[in-house]
Amino acid sequence: MAATSACVETPPSTDMSFKKALAVASPLTLHIVAECPVTKARACDLKLPHCVVSTPVFMPVGTQGTMKGITADQLDALGCQICLGNTYHLGMRPGPDLIEKANGLHGFMNWKNNLLTDSGGFQMVSLVELSEVTEEGVTFKSPYDGKTILLSPEKSIAIQNSLGSDIMMQLDDVVSSTVTGPRVEEAMQRSIRWLDRCIAANSNPHKQNLFAIIQGGLNAGLRKTCLDEMTKRDVPGFAIGGLSGGEEKDDFWRMVTLSTDHLPREKPRYLMGVGYAVDLVVCVALGCDMFDCVFPTRTARFGSALVPWGSLQVKHKQYAKDFKPIDPDCRCPTCKRHSRAYLHALFKSDTAAMHHITIHNIAYQLNLMRSVRQSIVQGRFPDFIRAFMRRMFPSREQYPSWAVDALASVNITLE
Ligand SMILES: [Zn+2]
């Protein structure tokens, strides 16, 4: 009788999606190369359909099939093994049908490495004023022609199936990390139901990996419930969502470490929307493998170059006669060829300056993660972090207290 009542209580879609997920081996394997004996950091080889990704990895964000200010060839030359495509923008224009005709987003942008696409939901909630969330999906008015459009879990997966990305993200019910009260629980529970609908809707599970997104706001109990439920699903990977949206950093790292404590060891862990160097290094220590953020490319367009000691504002007068490269230790095409003085002068008259700084900033992020990985493999990650912090901050007093606490929680004391 117990079995019968369980059957009755289980919605048919959930039952189906479990079977579907179990029946198809995921087109992803995670090989753990090394684990830090002190912290929760790990270095992995993440095998995806287009190539192997060395983790920890930062994934640059391309908005409409191209990286703003950089070509697919240049990105490849920097050693980028995976980048993001934006489902909302690509779904609106040029539209999934056209991209499918071009052999998916890989063919359309002529990108031979891996692609991750988001669900489109976050853009809708954050960019479109007139969006409304119901159980069916997210309804919004198209900014292009004013038509009302419903983005359901099924529609999001259909678009991502057309794009042909190696990793697809589930549609989740996104609330700002600063929202509190019953809406947080509602969004978390709905995200679980939408995950099941996304699993069932994936028409290409042997080629495209669907990642679940852990929600629950800043409430440890809700996060734990979401972790318990979502990890019952046999999805190829998990993302930690709903963070990095203006919450206190102390809440941020506690939710990250709670999540990694309960995510399965043998699957990749993707922390969404994180890209500041300090956050990356700390969250690797807390056990995250994958990161993305528009910050490095967006800040480049304002003339801000990322360097091991923070950032360098190319526009500032002090660089007008400075013939050193942005970072003398950086071997990116920009630093090999151009001086601060040249970029300073160019910035005043030509968008090419933004392009050069974008290349440097992406190179900086990729190199940072390569160094992090190497230190994990060589068993010296704690020393790497200490040296990184010494270089980034002029004095011990300037270390952010949240970073000190987060690192202490994984046995790293900063002298
Ligand atoms: Zn450089």
Side-chain angles (χ1 to χ4, degrees), residues 130-148:
L130 297 166
S131 68
E132 194 201 349
V133 181
T134 62
E135 190 60 26
E136 195 48 33
V138 188
T139 313
F140 68 103
K141 266 201 166 60
S142 162
Y144 298 108
D145 58 13
K147 274 188 201 151
T148 301

Side-chain angles (χ1 to χ4, degrees), residues 326-327 330-336 359-361 363-364:
I326 293 171
D327 175 3
C330 177
R331 291 197 297 273
C332 85
T334 301
C335 291
K336 266 192 215 158
I359 291 200
H360 166 81
N361 281 2
Y364 171 82

Side-chain angles (χ1 to χ4, degrees), residues 312-385:
L312 185 150
Q313 308 306 316
V314 168
K315 280 186 285 188
H316 284 184
K317 231 173 25 200
Q318 71 192 95
Y319 302 117
K321 293 175 186 170
D322 186 339
F323 294 104
K324 287 192 291 297
I326 293 171
D327 175 3
D329 293 327
C330 177
R331 291 197 297 273
C332 85
T334 301
C335 291
K336 266 192 215 158
R337 288 187 205 114
H338 303 303
S339 66
R340 297 170 181 179
Y342 170 74
L343 294 169
H344 175 88
L346 195 65
F347 202 85
K348 290 187 174 158
S349 59
D350 197 324
T351 53
M354 297 178 196
H355 165 88
H356 293 311
I357 302 168
T358 298
I359 291 200
H360 166 81
N361 281 2
I362 291 176
Y364 171 82
Q365 299 285 105
L366 298 178
N367 287 335
L368 173 65
M369 299 314 267
R370 276 186 209 114
S371 306
V372 165
R373 176 183 164 99
Q374 202 177 22
S375 75
I376 297 168
V377 172
Q378 295 175 350
R380 50 176 182 83
F381 180 59
D383 285 341
F384 173 89
I385 292 196

Side-chain angles (χ1 to χ4, degrees), residues 50 63-66 72 85-86 89-91 93-112 115 162-164:
H50 284 81
T63 306
Q64 312 216 13
T66 57
N86 188 302
H89 291 290
L90 293 162
R93 259 182 199 178
D97 295 344
L98 185 93
I99 292 177
E100 201 167 2
K101 280 190 194 128
N103 290 323
L105 190 49
H106 287 93
F108 189 63
M109 61 186 279
N110 195 18
W111 175 247
K112 62 182 171 58
L115 281 167
S162 295
L163 298 178

